[in-house]
Amino acid sequence: MNYWLIKSEPFVFSYDKLVADGKSMWDGVRNYQARNNLRAMREGDLALFYHSNEGLAVVGVAQIIAEAYPDPTADSGDWSAVDVAPYRKLNQPVPLALIKATPELQDIGLVRNPRLSVMPLSSEAFSKILELGQTDI
DNA sequence: GCCAACGTTGGC
DNA sequence: GCCAACGTTGGC
């Protein structure tokens, strides 16, 4: 089981929208590092869902339900998409400021490389954020 | 709305 | 293959 963090701008696609839709294709990634992370995802992996730009918080957990396939929204280039489904909404959103203020979370990609949109997380970091979000899964 | 950080592009 | 210029992302 691998753990991930995926980012979305909530006015483009929010966690609530994912819940409403039941599942979604995770497409439009145009960054090689992020794409390679998408390709490393396995069915059943869990991903924290982070709202960037507005909200600035981890709000829920999503599950990977289909592994990487060619991104149909790419008209050229070698890009990938996966399918995700809602898994659990956090009881308490975990704001970026809290993550930055938590010593155990100083090494995660969100802090180290804030512009990467798909990044791996250690199981420790994943659990810690769930704990901050007062959520058991 | 500004600006810093990073990735990508293109000239040499 | 290097590096400057540019575009994009995302926090503040």
Side-chain angles (χ1 to χ4, degrees):
Chain A
M1 164 81 76
N2 302 305
Y3 299 98
W4 309 93
L5 185 146
I6 57 179
K7 298 202 297 199
S8 180
E9 306 188 18
F11 36 81
V12 176
F13 191 82
S14 69
Y15 189 78
D16 286 341
K17 180 80 162 61
L18 178 62
V19 172
D21 292 355
K23 65 172 188 170
S24 177
M25 177 170 70
W26 204 260
D27 60 16
V29 170
R30 297 292 182 271
N31 169 286
Y32 291 109
Q33 208 181 335
R35 182 202 68 185
N36 292 341
N37 288 334
L38 282 182
R39 290 181 178 175
M41 288 178 170
R42 293 295 167 257
E43 196 176 323
D45 284 356
L46 296 177
L48 294 177
F49 196 108
Y50 175 78
H51 280 173
S52 63
N53 268 307
E54 208 174 81
L56 300 185
V58 174
V59 294
V61 183
Q63 186 165 39
I64 310 307
I65 56 169
E67 295 180 11
Y69 52 88
D71 183 347
T73 70
D75 39 48
S76 67
D78 181 20
W79 301 109
S80 294
V82 299
D83 288 347
V84 299
Y87 188 76
R88 193 69 47 86
K89 187 170 181 168
L90 296 191
N91 293 320
Q92 183 77 40
V94 180
L96 180 62
L98 178 57
I99 290 173
K100 285 185 168 175
T102 303
E104 299 94 308
L105 298 176
Q106 290 310 296
D107 287 339
I108 70 170
L110 193 64
V111 175
R112 279 213 322 259
N113 181 5
R115 298 188 49 216
L116 186 60
S117 59
V118 180
M119 65 192 81
L121 276 184
S122 67
S123 60
E124 290 82 7
F126 184 84
S127 309
K128 184 68 191 173
I129 292 172
L130 285 184
E131 181 190 324
L132 294 172
Q134 296 168 22
T135 303
D136 292 322
I137 61 171

